[in-house]
């Protein structure tokens, strides 16, 4: 009896780990999809209109924060528990991916302004994760 009980607990832990990992991955993919779509939209606007990049800088920053929040929200909703952790890890995975692309592809490190942005991204993703858990259907107690 005892070995099967131990095996059952290990299976539950593995299942929870897969759920957490898939929630983080889905949230991060959602961030990148939203970022790609909004980047294409602004690229077309900047190319085919008289808009200047400096005039839409604030809007681009706001859309970045919204997409990070949405990614944290999605990961929290998929994970249905520990939204702060799911959102934080989603924001961290996004920041790590951007850092690796910037470091390996462009041979540049983050500057201080970027570090502040990415810390804020992680915090915003945490808030999205918390809200995602609290608004998910299965986490509510009737």
């Amino acid at each position: 009896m005892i070995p099967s009980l131990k095996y059952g607990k290990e299976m539950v832990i593995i299942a929870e780990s897969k759920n957490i990992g898939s929630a983080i991955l889905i949230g991060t993919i959602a961030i990148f999809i939203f970022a790609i779509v909004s980047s294409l939209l602004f690229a077309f606007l900047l190319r085919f209109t008289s808009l200047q990049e400096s005039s839409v800088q604030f809007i681009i920053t706001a859309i970045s924060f919204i997409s990070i929040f949405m990614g944290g929200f999605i990961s929290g909703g998929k994970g249905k528990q520990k939204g702060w952790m799911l959102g934080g890890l989603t924001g961290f995975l996004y920041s790590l991916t951007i850092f690796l692309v910037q470091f390996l592809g462009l041979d540049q490190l983050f500057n201080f302004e970027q570090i502040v942005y990415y810390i804020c991204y992680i915090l915003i993703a945490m808030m999205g994760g918390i809200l995602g858990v609290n608004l998910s259907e299965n986490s509510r107690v009737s």
Side-chain angles (χ1 to χ4, degrees):
M1 280 289 195
I2 294 175
S4 65
L5 180 63
K6 183 178 178 185
Y7 181 72
K9 287 182 183 178
E10 288 174 355
M11 292 301 290
V12 169
I13 291 171
I14 291 171
E16 286 179 6
S17 297
K18 286 182 181 179
N19 188 29
I20 289 171
S22 66
I24 293 168
L25 187 62
I26 290 170
T28 306
I29 290 171
I31 293 171
F32 279 111
I33 289 171
F34 193 72
I36 289 169
V37 169
S38 62
S39 294
L40 285 172
L41 175 71
F42 277 103
F44 283 125
L45 284 174
L46 291 171
R47 172 67 176 99
F48 296 115
T49 65
S50 62
L51 285 174
Q52 298 296 319
E53 188 175 352
S54 59
S55 64
V56 292
Q57 185 77 25
F58 179 73
I59 296 170
I60 292 171
T61 302
I63 288 176
S64 297
F65 280 109
I66 291 169
S67 67
I68 297 291
F69 181 84
M70 288 173 50
F73 183 85
I74 290 169
S75 67
K78 292 283 185 190
K80 295 182 179 49
Q81 61 180 346
K82 298 179 185 174
W84 65 273
M85 181 183 75
L86 291 172
L89 288 173
T90 301
F92 179 76
L93 182 61
Y94 170 77
S95 299
L96 179 67
T97 305
I98 297 299
F99 173 74
L100 289 175
V101 168
Q102 184 173 333
F103 180 69
L104 297 174
L106 304 174
D107 199 25
Q108 296 175 352
L109 293 174
F110 280 167
N111 60 28
F112 181 73
E113 182 181 358
Q114 289 175 315
I115 291 171
V116 170
Y117 271 109
Y118 286 104
I119 289 172
C120 291
Y121 285 162
I122 292 170
L123 293 174
I124 292 292
M126 282 179 167
M127 286 186 246
I130 291 168
L131 192 62
V133 166
N134 288 327
L135 294 180
S136 69
E137 293 177 12
N138 294 339
S139 69
R140 293 184 184 171
V141 177
S142 298

